[in-house]
Amino acid sequence: GYVNACGTTAAREAIAAYHSSPEHKISMENVIVANGCSGALELALTSLLDPGTILLVPQPGFPLYQVITESHGARVLPYRLLPDRQWEVDLGHLEQLMSQYPPALIRGVLINNPSNPTGGVFSKDHLSQIVQLCERYKLPIVADEVYGNLVFGDNAFHPMAQVAAENGRKTPVITASGLAKQFLLPGWRIGWITFHDK
């Protein structure tokens, strides 16, 4: 017969364990398995967007965010990344965009870390600043972390959900990830979203 539409119990338990830490645990009820990370992003954005709403996305960024957003009759507003600061988010520009529109119109902020196409990896402090900004404007974060632990040199990857938990669990985070990139299994097309809202 068919398995649960959200994925098998074993897969969801393994994904929940992978996205948990001693300070921040999630259960399999917070996991939906999808057709690759692109399918996971489709699920996440479909749950947030309505026609006429807005998603804040990085510029430069992965074009799929705009494709999915526009397929729902919504639109993207790009926020700048700063090349002279290792492609960190221009927090001033992001806040300017957040403050320009009524709160109900902006449905979330997409954060891609490590970044495609820049390769930038955000510090924990920078991620905390993003979380605090989203908390102030009561916006959820969609964290595209498909490149997860694929970092080099002195760079360290910090999951957005864990950073949000360390900042008091006041900012909901939907994490999209998968096997293709960080586990070097591109043909398997297994992705997932995890929900972190408590």
Side-chain angles (χ1 to χ4, degrees):
Y2 293 108
V3 300
N4 186 305
C6 293
T8 66
T9 297
R12 292 167 70 203
E13 285 178 344
I15 293 164
Y18 180 74
H19 285 276
S20 292
S21 66
E23 306 81 25
H24 177 69
K25 294 187 183 300
I26 61 168
S27 73
M28 65 170 271
E29 300 302 321
N30 298 90
V31 177
I32 299 175
V33 180
N35 182 19
C37 190
S38 295
L41 286 165
E42 174 86 43
L43 290 174
L45 298 181
T46 297
S47 72
L48 292 173
L49 298 170
D50 290 307
T53 58
I54 293 169
L55 179 70
L56 300 177
V57 300
Q59 180 64 43
F62 188 41
L64 183 65
Y65 310 142
Q66 183 171 354
V67 171
I68 294 172
T69 300
E70 291 179 354
S71 76
H72 293 289
R75 67 186 175 109
V76 298
L77 265 183
Y79 60 82
R80 288 189 295 262
L81 302 181
L82 301 169
D84 57 341
R85 296 195 49 175
Q86 289 147 11
W87 299 102
E88 285 187 342
V89 174
D90 182 338
L91 296 171
H93 184 235
L94 181 58
E95 183 165 20
Q96 179 186 357
L97 294 174
M98 289 175 172
S99 64
Q100 275 182 330
Y101 296 89
L105 202 56
I106 299 177
R107 293 297 175 83
V109 180
L110 198 140
I111 302 293
N112 180 209
N113 178 49
S115 171
N116 173 13
T118 70
V121 182
F122 297 153
S123 69
K124 193 176 203 178
D125 181 60
H126 187 61
L127 291 170
S128 290
Q129 291 175 305
I130 294 168
V131 166
Q132 290 160 18
L133 189 56
C134 289
E135 179 190 338
R136 194 175 320 140
Y137 286 88
K138 304 205 178 323
L139 291 172
I141 294 170
V142 178
D144 179 355
E145 297 181 346
V146 72
Y147 289 96
N149 288 305
L150 282 177
V151 295
F152 304 95
D154 294 332
N155 293 304
F157 169 67
H158 303 282
M160 179 62 86
Q162 189 167 335
V163 174
E166 291 169 5
N167 277 269
R169 292 186 171 87
K170 296 175 186 170
T171 304
V173 176
I174 303 173
T175 299
S177 192
L179 293 180
K181 307 297 190 298
Q182 57 185 312
F183 294 98
L184 308 178
L185 294 165
W188 283 30
R189 302 302 306 146
I190 297 174
W192 53 81
I193 48 176
T194 57
F195 297 90
H196 311 263
D197 62 351
K198 294 180 186 174

